[in-house]
Amino acid sequence: MNNLLKPTFDWIKNDYDTNRFRFCIELLAWAISIGCSITMAVTVPSPPLLILYPIWITGCALYAWAAYTRKSFGMLANYLLLVAIDTIGLLRMVL
């Protein structure tokens, strides 16, 4: 089993060693994403969207920044679009 997972752990370690700040930002964005998803699942049918939307948008913006620093156009486009869509949704909800 160790031989199966070693390349993955080496890749994670290399990613951390290459850019520790970005690694931590991506880890934070991942935690935000999971936290929002769990909160949504636990609180349906009435999730606290006024609280979750800004947190989710922040996580997507963090992912977009990380994608930009990785020069990953697909990821950057995805997360910028999510930021735009969800910001519009938030604005429609509060205005």
Side-chain angles (χ1 to χ4, degrees):
M1 185 64 133
N2 188 27
N3 290 337
L4 196 62
L5 296 176
K6 185 171 179 353
T8 301
F9 288 124
D10 288 345
W11 175 74
I12 292 168
K13 183 182 180 317
N14 182 56
D15 192 41
Y16 176 78
D17 290 340
T18 301
N19 190 327
R20 291 178 182 177
F21 182 71
R22 180 181 60 213
F23 183 90
C24 291
I25 292 296
E26 288 175 327
L27 199 59
L28 174 61
W30 174 79
I32 288 170
S33 177
I34 297 301
C36 286
S37 294
I38 290 171
T39 303
M40 288 284 285
V42 170
T43 60
V44 292
S46 300
L49 291 178
L50 283 176
I51 296 169
L52 290 179
Y53 247 147
I55 297 169
W56 172 259
I57 291 166
T58 300
C60 288
L62 291 171
Y63 270 136
W65 174 83
Y68 177 79
T69 65
R70 289 185 180 280
K71 297 178 176 36
S72 175
F73 173 74
M75 293 283 291
L76 176 61
N78 180 65
Y79 283 108
L80 287 178
L81 187 57
L82 285 173
V83 167
I85 291 168
D86 291 329
T87 299
I88 291 167
L90 177 61
L91 290 172
R92 289 187 65 217
M93 192 169 26
V94 297
L95 297 179

